[in-house]
Structures are given as structure tokens and as C-alpha cells.
Amino acid sequence: MSKREGAEKATNIFTLNEFAKVSDYSFLDTLNPDPDATEDGVDFFPRQVFSGHYVPVKPSPIADPIYVSHGHQFFKELGLDDSLAFTDEFAKLFSGDIAEVPEPMRKMGWATGYALSIFGNEYTEQCPFKTGNGYGDGRAISVFEGVLNNKRWEMQLKGGGPTPYCRGADGRAVLRSSVREFLAQEYMHALGVPSTRSLSLFVSQSETVDRPWYSEGSRSENPDIMVSNPVAISTRVAPSFLRVGQLELFSRRARIGGRPNAMAELEMIVLHVIEREYKAQIDAGLPIADKVLTLATEFRDRLTSLVANWLRVGYCQGNFNSDNCAVGGFTIDYGPFGFCEYFDPYFQPWTGGGRHFAFFNQPLAAEKNFESFCSALKPLLQSSPKALEQLEQIIEGFSTVMEDKVGNMWAAKLGLESLDNELFSQLLSLMMKTHVDYTIFFRQLSNLPKEVSGISDSFYAAPSEELEEAWNQWLNAWREKFNPEQDLNEISNQMKQVNPKYTWREWLIVPAYEQAKSGDFTLIHELQKVLANPYDEQSEWVEQKYNQLRPLDLFTAGGVSHYSCSS
């Protein structure tokens, strides 16, 4: 632990000079830069990166930036005063201009490479060189690492311009996707789901890029027009941005050979993962094999808990590749994500995602990512057959751990001490037959209704008399499963702590980013407040606006019910 991490809780930080004093760049100071990188950080064109853990690169500032919003609650957690977000120095830094940051901050950002596995299968075709040496942070550039309020954080600009991994793209993010990620990260935190966090959001008043998107009223599956979008930079924050794909990259290099330092760089980044994300769980004095096995066990625990939480709140990652899987066990990369409104076990918001990344398939997708993670660790255990055997046992145990956590999650949503599988199967069948809204249904169920009328506000279609009777029978059987020694009010209150009242409804997010194009950020600020308290009863006008079924005419609307990954 550094002196800064052991220091007393900091007072509020008001200026960038004060902010600079907490900088502490463990990633840059302990890992290897790309030996072929430029000295000035002007490294904006696609090229192969053969070694090194990062490429020093300068972000490209957006033109004429203006403040959109910042993470108010997150500022408090970091010890930052809200006034800092409105200073010119803060605006310059977090809209991409780091040329004049105060010392000891670095005047250079960094981008990282990683490998790609999709559902456990290794790919190199997405790399422009077909080798895997050109795949990585194409528009995400880290610009700060430091210790705030005794916790280490890394800050990364999303849309900060091109890097050697940009694959020929412009390195920009549009306002639409930036607003979505900015709001979603803090909403997930409010839900109690581990996630990257949102520091700030700035938009350009003059710079635009063209992206394919949906025309007004489009029912097309894929975008049907090109749209000019304002560019924006959102700053996302995490203990680290280390991903499964990064470990895979160095493991592949070590496995294939040809690079003399490949094995050493794999061991370096694995030890850095432990230092950044698992220092409290893994004894620094253990032999490397024991560290690796403990790391696998700890990551398994975090990843299974994360995905159980995703199911609990209705979240679908949409594109859960290994490069979108943080080794710290939190949600990362809010691109083609969505939240299930109309209940469908195979809900998939992204048109390019496929059923394998659908809502209820996320536990299996997580298992595939975990297998990729463990495969990346194997070169470090080659000298110990016993350790390799133990790692295989950890891999084999994933599905059991996942099943237990998902079962406990469903039991909690239903107010039960343990899950009755037959009762749960009946419930899923009724939910699909009745076309329920996922969030409204479980929130109404939290009131412990005795009859179907108590949950009917969650139905998208009126049920038949036969279905109504089936629901009444199910509700009666469900209530009989309650612990007779537990007060019903206590059960109801506990259910309301795991079943949110307010969810992400894409059709209510769209107006926010559309209005923001013309400089009106009112709805963004409104959504921040509503989504910050998803379990609470809120005002009547909030209830009427944000706690309602999706209008039927939006069920097939492009950009609402489904969308591409264009961002």
C-alpha cells in the first residue's frame, strides 16, 4: 500500500492543482510501454503493436467543449467539490486537452491492447492485420491514475481520439452513446451492481461525425440513414480497466512464442491485476502458482455475483466478449446494452449480438469468458501439473457456483429463503404468457398481492379468465412458501430492496440525448436524479412519467426496441 492509500481521508478538492497532488501512476510505473511508440504521443494511425503493456498516446481534444453534467454522488465519494467540475482547467482536461496539466500529473495518456474471444472462441479477423496485434483501445485513452479517499482510481476518456488500435476509425464517441454510458454507469451503481463510474460529460459545440442510425419512425433492424452527430467525451472511472482480453493477449504471445519477453510480460500483468484488484484477498508472499489459483477463485466469485445481479435488475450486456469483461468483476463498456422491459428470457437489444449473449444466456457467456481467463493463466502454471489440475477444478466448478448464486437471487426477488424450482418454472411460464413488464411485475409482487389484480398493472395485454385463475393459484402457492415466522411487512420491505421500482427505459432516454443535441440538458439532469434512487418511492410526477409500460407503437422502433453498436 502506498503512503497515499494509507493516508487519512482527504478533504474536498477544489482545484486541478489539488487534484494533481493525488496522482499516482502504478500502471505506467510498473508495466512496460510499447518500445516502438512515438516519443511525443502522436500515434494516431493503425499499426501492429508487438509488445509492451500500453502505448503512450495523446488524446485529441474535442472542439469548443461545453459542460453537460458530472457525477454528483461520485464526486462526493472521491472527495471532489462540485465546483471543480465547472473550472476551465477541469473542462480542458476532461474534454481531451492534457497539454498543460499541473505536475506531478503526466502530459501523456495511454491506450492498451487486448485480444478478442467471442463466447470462448479466439478471433483475429477484427484486427486489420489479421494477427491480433492491432486490437485494443481504439478511442479510450486513460489520462489519470491516483488515490482519492484511500482508494485507487483510473480515469479514462471515452471518445478521446484515435490510437494505434483505432482500426482506421476516428476515435470519437457521439453524444448519443456518451449520454447513455454516462447515465447507465451511475444507475448501475445505484442499483448495487458493480460498475465503472461516471465522472463527467462534455460535448463539442462545433465538431461532428457521421454515423449510421435510424430514421424517424424506422422499423428497420439495422440503421437506414447516416446521421451527423455532435462528438462528446465522457470520462469513465474504475479501480482499473484491466480486462480478460488483456491477459489473453499476453498469454497468446507467450504460447505462440517468437517474442523473448512475452512470458515475462504475461506474469507482470497478472501480478499487476492482483495488485490493483485483489490485493486484499491475495497474500503478496505466496508463490506465483498459489497467487494464480487464488486469483482464479476470487474472480470466479466476483463474476458469478455480477451476472446474478445483471439478471436481478434486468440488464443485458448485449456483447459480452472477453474484451468487455473486467477482471475486477464489474460491468464495463456500455455499448450495445439494454434493460429488459417486456419480459423475454432471450431479450437482446443489439442487432449484432446473437442469442448467445441474450438476457438469460449471460451466465453461460460469463462461463465462456471465465474459461478464456483461466486459459490465459495456464502458461504461468506449466511447471506445476498439480496447479494446472487445480485450475481445471476451479473452471469445472463455475457452473455450480453460478447456479447457486442465480438461484439465491431469484429466491430473494420472490421473498423466499430458498428457491422452489417448480414454482419458479410456473412463474416464468405465466410471465411469458401474460406479457409482463419485468421491473413493474417484480415491484408489484413485492407488495405481496393475493390476487392477480395486484400485479395487473405490469401486463402488456389483458389475460384470459384461464390465465387469471392460473395467476391466482400461483400467488396462493407462492405465499404459502413464506417463512411463517417472518413478518409479511418485513418480507415486502426486503423484496423492495432487490426489486427496483425505476428501471432504464430506452424510450425515455432517447428524448434526453435528442434534446441535448440542441444544447438542452434538462432531461439528462432529470434522469440523473430519478435513476439515482431506483428503489425509492418518488414524487407523483416521477411515478406517472417513469413508472409505466412502453407504448405499444415503440415495440419495433429502431433505436428504441433495438439498435446497432454505432457510437
Side-chain angles (χ1 to χ4, degrees):
M1 178 180 290
S2 70
K3 291 181 180 179
R4 288 190 180 92
E5 287 173 290
E8 293 183 3
K9 186 175 181 179
T11 56
N12 269 17
I13 292 173
F14 293 86
T15 68
L16 197 64
N17 281 317
E18 294 171 337
F19 179 79
K21 292 177 182 177
V22 304
S23 61
D24 189 359
Y25 296 82
S26 72
F27 190 87
L28 302 184
D29 291 342
T30 61
L31 297 179
N32 294 342
D34 167 29
D36 298 324
T38 63
E39 292 186 5
D40 60 3
V42 179
D43 202 347
F44 301 150
F45 300 99
R47 65 177 177 86
Q48 295 199 70
V49 180
F50 296 104
S51 63
H53 298 100
Y54 64 93
V55 177
V57 61
K58 285 185 176 179
S60 303
I62 58 175
D64 306 312
I66 57 171
Y67 165 92
V68 177
S69 193
H70 70 279
H72 300 276
Q73 178 58 39
F74 190 42
F75 261 51
K76 292 179 182 177
E77 294 173 32
L78 296 176
L80 305 180
D81 193 86
D82 281 327
S83 62
L84 176 64
F86 302 100
T87 64
D88 292 340
E89 295 80 9
F90 184 92
K92 286 183 68 174
L93 169 57
F94 292 110
S95 62
D97 185 352
I98 65 172
E100 299 177 2
V101 294
E103 294 183 349
M105 285 181 65
R106 312 283 173 90
K107 292 178 169 56
M108 190 80 71
W110 64 98
T112 61
Y114 34 79
L116 170 66
S117 285
I118 301 176
F119 215 68
N121 298 309
E122 295 183 1
Y123 284 80
T124 57
E125 289 298 310
Q126 283 74 6
C127 163
F129 312 103
K130 312 301 181 186
T131 62
N133 292 319
Y135 190 68
D137 291 326
R139 57 175 177 163
I141 301 175
S142 293
V143 295
F144 176 86
E145 185 191 330
V147 179
L148 295 119
N149 276 351
N150 306 321
K151 188 172 182 180
R152 183 173 294 277
W153 296 98
E154 184 175 332
M155 299 184 177
Q156 189 172 81
L157 307 182
K158 183 78 172 284
T163 77
Y165 304 109
C166 63
R167 290 182 278 171
D170 54 33
R172 290 304 191 200
V174 300
L175 181 61
R176 173 186 66 249
S177 64
S178 301
V179 167
R180 293 181 79 243
E181 185 160 30
F182 177 80
L183 292 173
Q185 290 176 142
E186 290 304 288
Y187 174 54
M188 288 286 270
H189 176 74
L191 286 169
V193 182
S195 173
T196 48
R197 303 293 299 277
S198 296
L199 185 77
S200 60
L201 176 59
F202 289 88
V203 64
S204 171
Q205 299 177 85
S206 58
E207 186 180 349
T208 61
V209 292
D210 292 338
R211 294 284 195 270
W213 198 240
Y214 299 88
S215 58
E216 186 174 353
S218 172
R219 295 295 188 268
S220 171
E221 179 179 356
N222 294 309
D224 54 355
I225 59 171
M226 292 295 291
V227 177
S228 179
N229 302 263
V231 300
I233 289 182
S234 60
T235 298
R236 58 187 185 184
V237 186
S240 80
F241 286 94
L242 296 159
R243 306 146 184 257
V244 171
Q246 277 175 275
L247 272 62
E248 281 189 283
L249 176 65
F250 295 99
S251 182
R252 290 186 197 180
R253 289 174 177 169
R255 186 181 70 210
I256 294 170
R259 292 287 162 181
N261 61 341
M263 184 66 78
E265 289 196 331
L266 171 61
E267 183 173 333
M268 287 173 69
I269 198 163
V270 168
L271 291 176
H272 191 71
V273 165
I274 292 170
E275 175 66 19
R276 288 285 289 274
E277 297 287 0
Y278 295 91
K279 184 165 58 176
Q281 291 80 27
I282 301 177
D283 186 345
L286 290 173
I288 183 67
D290 291 341
K291 287 181 178 179
V292 167
L293 293 173
T294 307
L295 172 63
T297 303
E298 293 290 337
F299 179 51
R300 184 181 69 180
D301 182 62
R302 291 191 192 182
L303 184 58
T304 50
S305 293
L306 176 68
V307 174
N309 266 310
W310 285 357
L311 298 179
R312 176 177 65 84
V313 301
Y315 176 81
C316 181
Q317 178 74 340
N319 185 28
F320 198 26
N321 300 333
S322 65
D323 62 312
N324 295 334
C325 186
V327 295
F330 47 82
T331 319
I332 192 173
D333 275 352
Y334 290 83
F337 76 92
F339 282 80
C340 182
E341 293 182 71
Y342 173 88
F343 176 64
D344 176 1
Y346 300 107
F347 164 67
Q348 165 59 282
W350 183 33
T351 56
R355 189 161 176 163
H356 52 288
F357 289 144
F359 183 34
F360 268 27
N361 282 343
Q362 291 179 114
L364 183 56
E367 184 171 5
K368 295 298 183 182
N369 281 337
F370 184 69
E371 290 172 359
S372 296
F373 173 82
C374 291
S375 292
L377 299 176
K378 287 180 180 180
L380 299 178
L381 303 177
Q382 288 304 317
S383 62
S384 176
K386 182 179 179 181
L388 283 170
E389 183 180 339
Q390 289 175 293
L391 184 62
E392 290 296 339
Q393 292 172 356
I394 294 170
I395 296 170
E396 290 174 7
F398 186 95
S399 58
T400 300
V401 175
M402 186 81 256
E403 185 178 348
D404 288 346
K405 290 191 178 181
V406 170
N408 290 337
M409 177 275 297
W410 288 122
K413 283 183 76 68
L414 293 171
L416 305 177
E417 294 186 344
S418 61
L419 186 64
D420 183 304
N421 288 319
E422 182 179 354
L423 187 76
F424 181 62
S425 295
Q426 293 170 355
L427 172 63
L428 292 181
S429 177
L430 287 170
M431 289 171 69
M432 287 185 283
K433 289 178 180 177
T434 320
H435 313 295
V436 304
D437 184 280
Y438 187 74
T439 299
I440 295 177
F441 169 76
F442 276 106
R443 185 67 177 201
Q444 289 198 315
L445 200 67
S446 301
N447 293 321
L448 312 185
K450 296 180 179 179
E451 298 180 347
V452 68
S453 58
I455 53 174
S456 59
D457 286 347
S458 69
F459 297 169
Y460 279 97
S464 64
E465 290 185 8
E466 182 181 1
L467 263 180
E468 285 191 358
E469 179 56 30
W471 269 116
N472 287 331
Q473 291 178 6
W474 185 89
L475 289 168
N476 182 61
W478 164 62
R479 289 173 61 92
E480 289 181 353
K481 298 291 182 181
F482 292 159
N483 181 349
E485 298 180 0
Q486 191 174 10
D487 180 74
L488 291 180
N489 287 329
E490 183 181 352
I491 293 174
S492 175
N493 289 334
Q494 288 177 353
M495 289 178 66
K496 289 178 180 178
Q497 295 305 306
V498 296
N499 294 318
K501 179 161 186 174
Y502 294 97
T503 190
W504 179 281
R505 299 187 182 277
E506 197 68 38
W507 52 281
L508 292 172
I509 307 298
V510 172
Y513 64 67
E514 289 293 341
Q515 291 181 21
K517 289 181 182 178
S518 59
D520 182 356
F521 310 132
T522 306
L523 277 179
I524 293 175
H525 301 155
E526 180 178 297
L527 281 162
Q528 279 184 271
K529 294 177 181 178
V530 173
L531 296 178
N533 300 288
Y535 298 99
D536 296 350
E537 299 294 333
Q538 299 191 39
S539 66
E540 185 176 347
W541 76 265
V542 170
E543 167 105 21
Q544 292 176 351
K545 181 175 182 179
Y546 289 100
N547 185 42
Q548 56 176 309
L549 302 174
R550 181 196 297 174
L552 294 180
D553 63 340
L554 295 178
F555 263 72
T556 56
V560 177
S561 69
H562 58 273
Y563 24 86
S564 79
C565 197
S566 171
S567 55

